[in-house]
């Protein structure tokens, strides 16, 4: 019999499939007091479980690539931080030692206490952070009970299924998506949770807070998840299936409409030509981007080559990767960014030696490269050797001072001389660019333009440094706003100075591919955008609706805006919808 269950839409879309019911992990918890003689062994078990949970997360982190690595990586890092929280471990350890709790019982008590603290919070966003604690502790419990590996094996059978569960952690969601799950219905949770944010980016329909589903659905039930209306329909009737087909047709049509834009030029409604570049981390990204008609690769993030490697990649290994990137681009320019490790990008290669109290303000990007000249020179040699396979530009991350770029140029020239002496054919001249992602570099951009051949604005980092809001700290999600007037003013300034100096300036942070930002960036005079390949068509479409002349006139008012809402209202007032 047809039944509906309302749920809160956390990620849009619809899906029809068989239910896979997953009861909340229930661990049989022994609450009997622990004998004195077993305390040391129990603490050791606990510590091993934490270590296994940490290793699980690190393993997950290593397996993720591309856009997924960026999205999920942040969540995993946040969870990994929780796992490292000395108060959490110490609290549980003390309960075992002093309270004679067993490890699982102590973990559960800690979990209940912490989740209760979050539940008390008024702010729904902060309240939803209780889920993170829940997921992290569930991982440790799972490691304690040695259930994790059996769980992983079950994933392989999930193709075409709708997961109905109490809650799901972001890392698990990434796994599930890659195993073909169609949608997720969670009995608890909030649309602010990491998992929900991730589901949106994976285009995986998701409902949260769906009451009664765990009790009333059965494994194998046919169900329609409607992330548009916010309901699950079990044993859907003809009218539900018709609604689903209409939705499928409409989204297919939208996909086809966008597909027609592949290979097209990018122009605003009033005919101004723009250039769309792709961000790439893997060879597949370059291939995809080429088929969509891009002007080149605006950002090739080389750190992923390092993060996916045990130890440091050799000069030859790097050379092969850069050469393949250039060959894959088929004559389009490729902007290779030198290593940007440190801060949020985990250091699998072991380059960042000292633990830093403020990693985002510490030795990252070019600061690290200049402190590790052997590593840097190996990379520069590999890049220079690849340069004969296509047009290449070199981009330097995290530049604060023009002198850093000058030093990089000196090293490039030195590497070029050495390679020529060794018989390689290396061009005399390379286009060298600076990432503008540190406010000092932005405010002093005139000095940067004297030594750089081009600029690439890293709005992801620039936003975090302008607003002093860590881009990885989910508690600051509301503060971290690229549409903040302070960010816009800085973008406007950098773009205007680069244009005046007649040097190319591209923006390669996430907002470059966000249709909501298209009118703002056009207003600020940006012509070059670099984004993940799957954003290209949607953004080409959004940009083609922008009336550049009208938007440019809006600039003085945009820059005087007091807040993001005023900016959104100004843009909406001139935006063409059809
Ligand atoms: C940025 O900071 O905007 C950027 C493109 O670099 P990343 O995201 O790799 O730090
Ligand atoms: Mg950056």
């Amino acid at each position: 019999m047809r039944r509906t269950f309302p749920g809160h839409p956390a990620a849009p879309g619809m899906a029809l499939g068989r239910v896979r019911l997953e009861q909340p992990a229930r661990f049989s918890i022994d609450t009997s007091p622990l004998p004195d003689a077993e305390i040391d062994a129990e603490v050791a078990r606990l510590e091993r479980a934490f270590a296994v949970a940490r290793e699980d997360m690190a393993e997950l982190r290593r397996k993720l690539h591309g856009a997924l690595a960026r999205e999920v990586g942040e969540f995993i890092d946040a969870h990994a931080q929780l796992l490292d929280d000395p108060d959490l471990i110490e609290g549980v350890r003390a309960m075992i030692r002093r309270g004679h709790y067993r490890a699982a019982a102590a973990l559960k008590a800690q979990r209940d206490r912490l989740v209760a603290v979050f539940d008390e919070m008024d702010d729904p966003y902060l309240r939803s952070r209780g889920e993170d604690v829940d997921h992290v502790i569930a991982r440790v419990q799972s490691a304690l009970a040695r259930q994790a590996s059996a769980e992983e094996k079950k994933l392989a059978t999930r193709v075409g299924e709708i997961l109905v569960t109490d809650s799901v952690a972001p890392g698990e969601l990434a796994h599930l998506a890659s195993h073909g799950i169609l949608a997720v219905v969670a009995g608890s949770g909030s649309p602010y949770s990491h998992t929900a944010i991730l589901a949106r980016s994976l285009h995986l329909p998701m409902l949260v807070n769906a009451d009664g589903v765990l009790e009333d659905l059965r494994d194998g039930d046919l169900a329609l998840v409607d992330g548009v209306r916010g309901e699950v329909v079990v044993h859907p009737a003809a009218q539900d299936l018709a609604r689903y087909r209409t939705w499928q047709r409409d989204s297919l049509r939208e996909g086809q409409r966008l597909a027609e834009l592949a290979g097209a030029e990018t122009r605003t409604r009033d005919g101004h030509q723009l250039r769309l570049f792709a961000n790439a981390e893997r060879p597949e990204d370059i291939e995809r981007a080429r088929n969509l008609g891009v002007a080149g690769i605006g950002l090739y993030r080389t750190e992923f080559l390092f993060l996916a490697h045990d130890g440091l990649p050799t000069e030859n290994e790097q050379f092969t990767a850069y050469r393949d990137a250039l060959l894959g681009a088929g004559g389009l320019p490729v902007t290779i960014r030198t290593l940007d490790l440190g801060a949020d990008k985990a250091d699998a290669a072991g380059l960042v030696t000292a633990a830093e109290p403020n990693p985002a303000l510490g030795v990252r990007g070019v600061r690290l490269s200049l402190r590790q000249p052997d590593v840097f020179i190996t990379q520069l040699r590999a890049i220079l050797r690849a340069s004969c396979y296509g047009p290449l530009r070199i981009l330097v991350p995290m530049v604060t001072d023009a002198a850093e770029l000058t030093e990089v140029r000196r090293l490039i020239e030195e590497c070029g001389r050495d390679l020529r002496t060794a018989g390689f054919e290396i061009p005399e001249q390379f286009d060298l660019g600076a990432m503008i992602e540190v406010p000092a570099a932005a405010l002093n951009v005139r000095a940067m333009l004297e030594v750089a051949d081009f600029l690439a604005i890293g709005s992801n980092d620039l936003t975090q440094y302008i607003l002093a809001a860590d881009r990885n700290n989910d508690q600051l999600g509301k503060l971290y706003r690229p549409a903040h007037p302070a960010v816009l003013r800085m973008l406007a300034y950098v773009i205007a100075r680069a244009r005046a100096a007649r040097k190319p300036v591209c923006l390669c942070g996430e907002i470059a591919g966000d249709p909501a930002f298209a009118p703002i960036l056009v207003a600020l005079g940006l012509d070059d955008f670099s984004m993940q390949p799957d954003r290209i068509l949607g953004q080409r479409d959004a940009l083609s609706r922008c009336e550049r002349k009208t938007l440019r006139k809006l600039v003085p008012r945009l820059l005087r805006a007091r807040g993001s809402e005023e900016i959104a209202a100004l843009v909406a007032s001139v935006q063409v919808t059809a």
Side-chain angles (χ1 to χ4, degrees):
M1 200 187 55
R2 176 184 186 272
R3 280 187 73 187
T4 60
F5 297 85
H8 202 130
M14 291 176 92
L16 180 70
R18 298 261 165 215
V19 166
R20 160 65 70 110
L21 205 57
E22 192 177 79
Q23 292 295 344
R26 297 196 201 287
F27 303 102
S28 48
I29 291 181
D30 183 355
T31 50
S32 62
L34 192 67
D36 273 342
E38 290 178 26
I39 286 181
D40 285 345
E42 193 67 355
V43 169
R45 264 190 78 218
L46 175 82
E47 283 168 358
R48 261 198 316 278
F50 267 91
V52 169
R54 269 190 215 106
E55 184 43 43
D56 280 354
M57 291 209 159
E59 176 66 23
L60 197 57
R61 189 77 160 91
R62 279 196 291 273
K63 280 190 193 145
L64 297 171
H65 299 286
L68 214 54
R70 301 184 60 72
E71 298 280 352
V72 193
E74 291 179 6
F75 308 151
I76 294 176
D77 290 345
H79 284 192
Q81 256 173 24
L82 261 176
L83 266 181
D84 280 335
D85 184 342
D87 288 345
L88 174 65
I89 309 174
E90 200 36 58
V92 182
R93 217 186 267 133
M95 288 171 84
I96 300 173
R97 287 207 181 282
R98 291 203 281 275
H100 290 239
Y101 278 75
R102 290 173 193 273
L107 271 170
K108 180 172 183 316
Q110 273 286 27
R111 178 242 167 240
D112 292 349
R113 190 182 63 77
L114 290 170
V115 169
V117 172
F118 280 101
D119 277 349
E120 286 296 298
M121 293 181 178
D122 290 333
D123 182 338
Y125 180 76
L126 287 180
R127 210 164 44 233
S128 73
R129 299 277 64 84
E131 279 181 43
D132 291 344
V133 173
D134 203 17
H135 291 149
V136 165
I137 293 187
R139 258 186 197 280
V140 184
Q141 290 281 29
S142 159
L144 261 180
R146 299 181 206 288
Q147 289 178 354
S149 57
E151 189 48 42
E152 301 271 326
K153 282 187 204 121
K154 276 202 285 179
L155 286 174
T157 61
R158 286 187 168 157
V159 176
E161 289 178 329
I162 290 167
L163 179 71
V164 178
T165 179
D166 184 43
S167 74
V168 54
E172 282 156 359
L173 190 70
H175 263 310
L176 290 165
S178 65
H179 281 80
I181 200 103
L182 293 174
V184 179
V185 178
S188 62
S190 111
Y192 295 94
S193 73
H194 283 148
T195 309
I197 297 166
L198 178 64
R200 291 196 283 276
S201 99
L202 291 170
H203 309 293
L204 204 60
M206 180 176 186
L207 296 179
V208 294
N209 255 331
D211 253 355
V213 283
L214 281 169
E215 296 77 17
D216 292 342
L217 297 191
R218 295 283 160 269
D219 259 340
D221 279 351
L222 188 69
L224 176 68
V225 175
D226 186 338
V228 186
R229 282 193 181 183
E231 63 180 23
V232 190
V233 187
V234 196
H235 306 305
Q239 84 265 17
D240 301 308
L241 298 176
R243 201 169 74 247
Y244 176 52
R245 275 198 302 277
T246 308
W247 174 84
Q248 272 185 316
R249 247 195 326 268
D250 290 352
S251 24
L252 194 71
R253 210 171 287 146
E254 178 64 1
Q256 281 164 347
R257 191 180 70 77
L258 288 180
E260 282 171 17
L261 298 178
E265 285 191 331
T266 310
R267 285 186 188 275
T268 59
R269 196 179 165 88
D270 48 344
H272 183 80
Q273 183 153 16
L274 303 166
R275 296 194 300 174
L276 301 194
F277 294 80
N279 292 352
E281 286 149 18
R282 304 162 303 160
E284 302 91 280
D285 296 334
I286 296 180
E287 182 124 354
R288 268 212 74 206
R290 234 177 88 184
N291 294 332
L292 299 171
V294 291
I297 303 301
L299 172 66
Y300 182 85
R301 289 182 164 104
T302 60
E303 53 277 8
F304 291 92
L305 189 65
F306 285 66
L307 292 175
H309 200 276
D310 281 336
L312 293 170
T314 63
E315 181 182 313
N316 266 335
E317 283 168 330
Q318 290 189 61
F319 159 72
T320 308
Y322 307 147
R323 180 200 61 193
D324 290 351
L326 284 156
L327 288 174
L332 294 172
V334 176
T335 312
I336 297 190
R337 182 172 76 180
T338 61
L339 198 51
D340 186 23
L341 281 184
D344 56 319
K345 286 172 197 140
D347 179 29
L351 278 175
V352 186
T353 42
E356 299 180 295
N358 270 318
L361 304 181
V363 182
R364 63 167 289 200
V366 71
R367 303 169 180 186
L368 181 67
S369 295
L370 291 175
R371 273 179 180 72
Q372 307 254 1
D374 292 352
V375 178
F376 195 31
I377 284 170
T378 303
Q379 179 172 46
L380 291 176
R381 284 174 59 95
I383 296 175
L384 297 196
R385 280 176 54 197
S387 66
C388 56
Y389 291 91
L392 170 103
R393 312 195 300 173
I394 302 175
L395 179 61
V396 185
M398 249 335 250
V399 183
T400 310
D401 202 293
E404 290 165 319
L405 202 66
T406 307
E407 177 60 8
V408 174
R409 199 185 285 281
R410 190 188 69 73
L411 289 171
I412 291 175
E413 282 164 3
E414 198 176 287
C415 290
R417 273 195 302 275
D418 290 349
L419 285 167
R420 274 180 226 108
T421 310
F424 291 95
E425 274 195 31
I426 306 289
E428 287 292 331
Q429 175 58 32
F430 284 92
D431 272 0
L432 181 65
M435 290 282 293
I436 301 297
E437 49 188 350
V438 175
L443 290 169
N444 202 15
V445 72
R446 284 170 194 269
M448 210 60 82
L449 282 162
E450 284 171 11
V451 292
D453 299 306
F454 67 97
L455 302 181
I457 304 176
S459 53
N460 302 338
D461 277 314
L462 191 57
T463 302
Q464 83 162 341
Y465 293 128
I466 292 175
L467 298 171
D470 183 346
R471 65 194 259 192
N472 297 308
N473 186 337
D474 43 285
Q475 297 195 53
L476 303 176
K478 283 187 185 156
L479 266 186
Y480 181 93
R481 280 199 181 184
H484 192 285
V487 178
L488 258 48
R489 270 177 235 164
M490 213 170 281
L491 295 180
Y493 178 67
V494 172
I495 295 167
R497 297 286 17 117
R499 287 169 67 92
R502 299 190 182 286
K503 298 226 166 142
V505 54
C506 181
L507 191 143
C508 57
E510 291 303 297
I511 58 172
D514 183 346
F517 274 84
I520 297 179
L521 297 176
V522 167
L524 298 182
L526 188 74
D527 286 343
D528 291 353
F529 300 66
S530 192
M531 64 200 76
Q532 286 162 15
D534 60 2
R535 297 290 196 111
I536 298 271
L537 299 183
Q539 192 62 326
R540 184 170 283 152
D541 186 44
L543 289 163
S544 73
R545 295 166 201 273
C546 293
E547 190 80 48
R548 187 171 188 270
K549 281 200 194 80
T550 321
L551 285 165
R552 292 289 281 157
K553 285 192 201 126
L554 209 62
V555 171
R557 286 159 70 200
L558 273 180
L559 300 187
R560 278 200 308 271
R562 289 192 166 69
S564 313
E565 296 74 19
E566 200 177 326
I567 289 168
L570 278 169
V571 170
S573 72
V574 298
Q575 194 53 353
V576 185
T577 48

